[in-house]
Amino acid sequence: LRDNRIELVRASWHELSISVSDVSLSDEGQYTCSLFTMPVKTSKAFLTVLGVPEKPQITGFTSPVMEGERMQLTCKTSGSKPAADIRWFKNDKEVKDVKYLKEEDANRKTFTVSSTLDFLADRSDDGAVVSCRVDHESLNSTPQIAMQVLEIHYTPLVKIISSNSWPEEGQSIILTCESKGKPV
């Protein structure tokens, strides 16, 4: 093997060891070690190289969103081999009903994986943290996560609150008009 990334670690009558630095997808394949005796003896091993997924990105959010509008958030990551797994969470609770798409990258070895979260904006979603989590065997159980804080605008609800439920003649009463909407 003629490559400056490959270094001979140990060469003895009993063992021949090499190390490969800065491993790339092209290093995947069958490696053969030959012992030039009569007859020649060989041993083969297949090296599988994992493609590490890029940090995911969430697109499709424009702030603010009006209550009742449809929201479509897409999370995408490229370069995984085998294809990475994408999961969505809203305030740490997993959202299951999502679309999932896997496409082969231009190098025909790795994959771009995307997932779309589709829902109607609700006032209860205001301030919610939506996260997209990418799991892959190359990440050593440390998922990559992208997050988006939602800002939802909604029409105010108005109510009048009385200081006394059953006022009597001659008493004072305070009426408070309370409005909750966004923006204030």
Side-chain angles (χ1 to χ4, degrees), residues 162-175:
S162 170
S163 62
N164 190 334
S165 301
W166 302 98
E168 295 176 16
E169 188 177 9
Q171 284 184 330
S172 293
I173 186 169
I174 298 169
L175 298 177

Side-chain angles (χ1 to χ4, degrees), residues 101-150:
L101 181 66
K102 178 176 86 172
E103 299 170 291
E104 212 173 56
D105 290 333
N107 62 17
R108 310 214 34 195
K109 292 180 180 176
T110 57
F111 295 91
T112 291
V113 182
S114 61
S115 179
T116 304
L117 181 63
D118 193 332
F119 63 101
L120 292 177
D122 184 81
R123 63 186 64 209
S124 63
D125 293 326
D126 186 46
V129 178
V130 172
S131 56
C132 159
R133 173 177 154 164
V134 173
D135 289 288
H136 193 261
E137 55 195 287
S138 68
L139 299 174
N140 299 322
S141 303
T142 308
Q144 292 180 331
I145 298 172
M147 288 190 284
Q148 177 66 61
V149 178
L150 303 182

Side-chain angles (χ1 to χ4, degrees), residues 2-180:
R2 307 236 187 287
D3 189 321
N4 58 8
R5 295 176 304 116
I6 298 172
E7 185 183 331
L8 184 62
V9 176
R10 188 177 294 115
S12 71
W13 293 107
H14 307 289
E15 184 182 342
L16 186 63
S17 299
I18 61 170
S19 94
V20 184
S21 58
D22 195 21
V23 174
S24 69
L25 291 166
S26 61
D27 292 320
E28 181 166 285
Q30 187 167 275
Y31 285 73
T32 306
C33 174
S34 297
L35 183 62
F36 291 98
T37 55
M38 275 301 191
V40 173
K41 292 179 181 167
T42 61
S43 183
K44 299 177 191 290
F46 193 89
L47 175 70
T48 300
V49 178
L50 299 175
V52 182
E54 290 173 5
K55 184 163 173 49
Q57 290 192 314
I58 296 175
T59 56
F61 182 72
T62 48
S63 182
V65 175
M66 285 301 296
E67 182 176 40
E69 282 181 15
R70 180 167 292 287
M71 290 180 71
Q72 280 194 321
L73 302 180
T74 300
C75 180
K76 190 183 237 183
T77 178
S78 299
S80 60
K81 176 179 171 283
D85 182 42
I86 291 184
R87 288 156 66 195
W88 286 97
F89 295 84
K90 193 193 285 183
N91 289 337
D92 298 326
K93 187 173 187 283
E94 187 167 1
V95 181
K96 293 281 193 184
D97 190 23
V98 291
K99 293 181 190 132
Y100 182 85
L101 181 66
K102 178 176 86 172
E103 299 170 291
E104 212 173 56
D105 290 333
N107 62 17
R108 310 214 34 195
K109 292 180 180 176
T110 57
F111 295 91
T112 291
V113 182
S114 61
S115 179
T116 304
L117 181 63
D118 193 332
F119 63 101
L120 292 177
D122 184 81
R123 63 186 64 209
S124 63
D125 293 326
D126 186 46
V129 178
V130 172
S131 56
C132 159
R133 173 177 154 164
V134 173
D135 289 288
H136 193 261
E137 55 195 287
S138 68
L139 299 174
N140 299 322
S141 303
T142 308
Q144 292 180 331
I145 298 172
M147 288 190 284
Q148 177 66 61
V149 178
L150 303 182
E151 186 186 357
I152 313 295
H153 282 191
Y154 48 93
T155 54
L157 286 175
V158 181
K159 64 179 175 181
I160 297 172
I161 302 163
S162 170
S163 62
N164 190 334
S165 301
W166 302 98
E168 295 176 16
E169 188 177 9
Q171 284 184 330
S172 293
I173 186 169
I174 298 169
L175 298 177
T176 306
C177 180
E178 194 178 83
S179 164
K180 188 172 190 286

